[in-house]
Amino acid sequence: MPAFIEVTVVEGIELKNPVSDGDIKPSLRLYTSNNFFKKAKTSTLDHDKRYIWNESFEFNFDKKHDKLYVELFDRSHIRRSYSKLGVTVVDVHDIKQERDIDDWYTLSNQEGDQVGRVHLRMNYKL
């Protein structure tokens, strides 16, 4: 029987685009391993020092879905497209053990440089 995990994207801080070196218009895409087609996306926010979403999503988890991916994107005002800036990966086994997690996660780009932090609340439900 699959379990559910409710994920609330609370806020983000220190979000940056190393290429543009300026303010960004961030959004986050969340999805589970082996299930890229079951994904969720936050709204896109305007430039700010602190980005508040308070948006919640539910994901089914089983043995095939053991990771939650959270990707940071920046919406370009010039091209009106999104650029992937970084990602963090949460192990579902940690959420199962703790049942409720309220923590900050570091978003890193492909080079391993930090591009921001995201505050997530996650609840494991049977």
Side-chain angles (χ1 to χ4, degrees):
M1 180 166 102
F4 295 93
I5 294 181
E6 180 183 45
V7 179
T8 300
V9 178
V10 180
E11 62 186 319
I13 58 171
E14 302 165 1
L15 304 179
K16 59 187 172 195
N17 185 339
V19 175
S20 71
D21 203 30
D23 292 329
I24 69 170
K25 287 187 158 190
S27 67
L28 297 170
R29 181 170 60 187
L30 297 84
Y31 61 93
T32 62
S33 55
N34 297 327
N35 196 5
F36 182 73
F37 298 105
K38 168 55 177 148
K39 58 186 174 183
K41 181 183 169 297
T42 65
S43 56
T44 301
L45 300 178
D46 287 328
H47 305 295
D48 203 344
K49 294 290 181 203
R50 190 169 199 159
Y51 301 93
I52 310 254
W53 281 284
N54 280 325
E55 296 179 29
S56 296
F57 309 96
E58 277 196 355
F59 294 93
N60 291 338
F61 282 94
D62 55 28
K63 291 181 181 181
K64 295 179 187 175
H65 306 94
D66 60 351
K67 304 234 183 288
L68 173 69
Y69 294 83
V70 181
E71 296 178 324
L72 172 65
F73 286 83
D74 179 18
R75 177 160 184 187
S76 168
H77 63 281
I78 297 169
R79 294 178 292 163
R80 299 206 182 271
S81 62
Y82 289 88
S83 301
K84 181 178 169 182
L85 301 179
V87 64
T88 192
V89 181
V90 180
D91 190 328
V92 173
H93 299 294
D94 294 341
I95 303 168
K96 283 175 155 178
Q97 287 180 335
E98 296 292 325
R99 296 285 180 182
D100 295 309
I101 293 179
D102 186 344
D103 208 352
W104 287 91
Y105 293 86
T106 300
L107 297 154
S108 301
N109 63 16
Q110 289 182 338
E111 291 77 32
D113 298 326
Q114 181 176 324
V115 293
R117 296 176 47 204
V118 62
H119 181 191
L120 302 175
R121 287 192 188 121
M122 296 171 283
N123 302 11
Y124 179 81
K125 301 175 182 180
L126 290 175

Short mmCIF file of all heavy atoms in Angstrom, two decimals, residues 31-39 60 64-65:
data_model
loop_
_atom_site.label_atom_id
_atom_site.label_comp_id
_atom_site.label_asym_id
_atom_site.label_seq_id
_atom_site.Cartn_x
_atom_site.Cartn_y
_atom_site.Cartn_z
N TYR A 31 9.26 16.56 -7.76
CA TYR A 31 8.85 15.27 -8.32
C TYR A 31 9.57 14.16 -7.58
O TYR A 31 10.54 14.37 -6.87
CB TYR A 31 9.09 15.20 -9.83
CG TYR A 31 10.54 15.33 -10.25
CD1 TYR A 31 11.33 14.21 -10.43
CD2 TYR A 31 11.10 16.58 -10.49
CE1 TYR A 31 12.66 14.32 -10.83
CE2 TYR A 31 12.41 16.71 -10.88
CZ TYR A 31 13.18 15.58 -11.05
OH TYR A 31 14.49 15.71 -11.43
N THR A 32 9.05 12.94 -7.75
CA THR A 32 9.61 11.78 -7.07
C THR A 32 10.46 10.97 -8.04
O THR A 32 10.27 11.04 -9.25
CB THR A 32 8.49 10.88 -6.53
OG1 THR A 32 7.71 10.41 -7.62
CG2 THR A 32 7.63 11.62 -5.54
N SER A 33 11.39 10.22 -7.50
CA SER A 33 12.22 9.37 -8.35
C SER A 33 11.35 8.34 -9.05
O SER A 33 10.33 7.89 -8.54
CB SER A 33 13.29 8.67 -7.51
OG SER A 33 12.70 7.94 -6.45
N ASN A 34 11.76 7.98 -10.25
CA ASN A 34 11.05 7.02 -11.09
C ASN A 34 9.64 7.45 -11.45
O ASN A 34 8.84 6.66 -11.89
CB ASN A 34 10.98 5.64 -10.43
CG ASN A 34 12.34 5.05 -10.22
OD1 ASN A 34 13.24 5.27 -11.01
ND2 ASN A 34 12.51 4.32 -9.15
N ASN A 35 9.32 8.71 -11.24
CA ASN A 35 7.96 9.18 -11.54
C ASN A 35 8.00 10.64 -11.95
O ASN A 35 7.32 11.48 -11.37
CB ASN A 35 7.04 8.98 -10.34
CG ASN A 35 5.59 9.07 -10.74
OD1 ASN A 35 5.26 9.17 -11.91
ND2 ASN A 35 4.71 9.04 -9.77
N PHE A 36 8.81 10.95 -12.95
CA PHE A 36 8.98 12.33 -13.37
C PHE A 36 7.66 12.95 -13.84
O PHE A 36 7.46 14.14 -13.77
CB PHE A 36 10.02 12.41 -14.48
CG PHE A 36 10.30 13.80 -14.95
CD1 PHE A 36 11.01 14.67 -14.15
CD2 PHE A 36 9.82 14.25 -16.16
CE1 PHE A 36 11.25 15.97 -14.57
CE2 PHE A 36 10.05 15.54 -16.58
CZ PHE A 36 10.78 16.40 -15.79
N PHE A 37 6.73 12.11 -14.29
CA PHE A 37 5.48 12.65 -14.81
C PHE A 37 4.53 13.08 -13.71
O PHE A 37 3.59 13.80 -13.95
CB PHE A 37 4.83 11.62 -15.75
CG PHE A 37 5.70 11.34 -16.93
CD1 PHE A 37 6.41 10.15 -17.02
CD2 PHE A 37 5.86 12.27 -17.93
CE1 PHE A 37 7.23 9.90 -18.10
CE2 PHE A 37 6.68 12.04 -19.01
CZ PHE A 37 7.37 10.84 -19.09
N LYS A 38 4.73 12.62 -12.48
CA LYS A 38 3.95 13.11 -11.33
C LYS A 38 4.77 14.20 -10.69
O LYS A 38 5.65 13.96 -9.87
CB LYS A 38 3.68 11.96 -10.34
CG LYS A 38 3.12 12.40 -9.00
CD LYS A 38 1.86 13.22 -9.11
CE LYS A 38 1.34 13.53 -7.71
NZ LYS A 38 0.69 14.78 -7.61
N LYS A 39 4.55 15.41 -11.13
CA LYS A 39 5.33 16.52 -10.62
C LYS A 39 4.40 17.65 -10.21
O LYS A 39 3.25 17.69 -10.61
CB LYS A 39 6.35 16.99 -11.64
CG LYS A 39 5.75 17.41 -12.96
CD LYS A 39 6.82 17.73 -13.98
CE LYS A 39 6.18 18.00 -15.31
NZ LYS A 39 7.14 18.25 -16.35
N ASN A 60 2.51 10.27 -3.75
CA ASN A 60 2.46 8.87 -3.37
C ASN A 60 3.88 8.33 -3.34
O ASN A 60 4.68 8.68 -4.20
CB ASN A 60 1.68 8.04 -4.39
CG ASN A 60 0.21 8.38 -4.38
OD1 ASN A 60 -0.31 8.90 -3.41
ND2 ASN A 60 -0.45 8.09 -5.48
N LYS A 64 9.48 2.09 -5.19
CA LYS A 64 10.05 2.65 -6.42
C LYS A 64 10.31 4.14 -6.31
O LYS A 64 11.05 4.71 -7.10
CB LYS A 64 9.09 2.41 -7.59
CG LYS A 64 8.89 0.97 -7.94
CD LYS A 64 7.92 0.86 -9.09
CE LYS A 64 7.56 -0.57 -9.36
NZ LYS A 64 6.53 -0.68 -10.40
N HIS A 65 9.67 4.78 -5.38
CA HIS A 65 9.77 6.23 -5.23
C HIS A 65 10.40 6.56 -3.89
O HIS A 65 9.69 6.79 -2.91
CB HIS A 65 8.39 6.87 -5.34
CG HIS A 65 7.67 6.48 -6.59
ND1 HIS A 65 6.79 5.44 -6.64
CD2 HIS A 65 7.72 6.99 -7.83
CE1 HIS A 65 6.32 5.32 -7.87
NE2 HIS A 65 6.87 6.25 -8.60
#
